Amino acid sequence: TARSEAFRTREGRRQAARNLVERGIDTLIVIGGDGSLTGTSIFRDEWSELLDELVELGEIELALADAHRTLTLVGMVGSIDNDMFGTDMTIGADTALHRITEAIDAIQSTASSHQRSFVIEVMGRHCGYLALMSALATGANFVLIPESPPDTDEWAESMCRALEAGRAIGRRSNIVIVAEGAQDMHGNPITANQVKQVLEELSGEDTRVTSLGHVQRGGAPSAFDRYLSTVLGYAAVQHVVAYPGADPQLIGIRGHQIVNSPLMDSVAKSKSVADVIAERDSETAMGMRGGSFRESFQMMRTMVRAHPHAPAPGQRRLRLAVLHGGGPAPGMNTAVRVAVRAGLDLGHEVLAVKRGFRGRPRGDVDEMEWLSATSWVGRGGAEHGTRRSVASRAMLADVAEQIEAHRIDGILMVGGWTGYQSAYELQNLADVHPALAIPVVCLPASINNDLPSSELSIGADTALNSIVSDVDKIKQSAVASRRTFVVEVMGRDCGYLALM
């Protein structure tokens, strides 16, 4: 790949046209960012004129030009910033997030041990996706992104008050993530070094800066990026074969479905976000990033609070129980951490049940506080335990007694198939045991990714990454020794891990 200055000129594009037609090429699949896709769309618009110029200059024969009068073009977005309209994810963004998460996880241990503050600068000149999502993934304590500048000139004082409040309740480290395009309400840049200086001068924090730089672009792609690249590349070839000469399209993904969008329309909308940010219209900028981006930002604001909001006057405080069912899956603890803070911030009480449905009869119930699960964001397993067995009718009779004893108003089950079955049996027995007639929500957590009503279960992506990492190592040995390796993966009734 290259940032080609020559291609920005008419002469450079004319030479490119000659290079293609002399090799019989009149279809391009371009993988790049908005610059590459914009340049190629211009190239496609000029294509016939460029061929005429080459004929006039005597560089190609008229017959060769006439044989390739139409240039078919599709684009795929290769960008770690995930900043393009027409696709939910861009190739490379997930891998970059993995790099950032791994680095911050490593820094967290030093930050906690020395009780220091760390300012982490990540890429994102006009897009805060990497900063925001890595902040959520690592449990960072503050984040600064281009789309939503601080709404006050006293942003430094406000940030320091928030971080000092966390220290006051016993938090051992402060992690601040800064997108390289972060700015204040007047459009002035907010740099990582500036944040460091503020923390040292206003809060007396021992602060270090880490700029992750191009390490975010490097390394082997994650399992999801390999999958995304595979399905997009396959769809791109299918499209150009089926629709030669069609208007340029962007091949992307929405939900888990492959979609096509007009190429230049997607590029124009993507570039317009930077213009809106420059005009300091943060409300519009956040809206243009999509509903999930805005929701993630609001979630981040809840998760970094030092204390939950106080219950509203006269509000009924619900008592909500969180438990696990099925085999352990990576991310179970993360889900409990978020559920605890979300529930407490809405003014309710949150209880954690140990050992799943079996814990109910034993009365193994903990009342969770704001800091109870603060360090669980990246911890594997299930801290409160889980069971693979389905709750029996006798066990559920005891569960009904415990629900009454603890005055539980609702249950969140984070788990797999046997957890779903237990929740189903609980609902079926509500006529027999009225205490069981309470709302139950099942949150899918299974590496097999085989649970109903969800395209992706918690834990499946981590399992895929573990498999891919191990198979990459095995392949090196297989090539060196000319051996065949048979790799067995989990999936008793579901081939998701094996296929992906």
Side-chain angles (χ1 to χ4, degrees), residues 323-328 332 353-359 362 364 382 384-391 395 413-420 422:
L323 55 80
H324 296 303
M332 279 182 162
V353 182
K354 297 180 180 179
R355 289 178 286 277
F357 285 94
R358 282 176 179 255
R362 295 162 59 102
D364 293 338
H384 278 108
T386 186
R387 297 280 182 173
R388 294 180 184 274
S389 56
V390 179
M395 186 187 300
M413 193 291 297
V414 182
W417 185 243
T418 55
Y420 274 63
S422 297

Side-chain angles (χ1 to χ4, degrees), residues 144-189:
L144 293 159
I145 60 175
E147 292 88 347
S148 184
D151 57 5
T152 173
D153 283 327
E154 283 75 44
W155 67 266
E157 291 82 356
S158 177
M159 177 183 68
C160 289
R161 284 196 298 270
L163 296 177
E164 288 168 3
R167 288 285 197 206
I169 61 173
R171 194 168 63 211
R172 295 178 56 83
S173 64
N174 283 325
I175 300 290
V176 179
I177 300 180
V178 183
E180 61 179 330
Q183 56 186 9
D184 65 17
M185 63 186 299
H186 303 293
N188 302 311

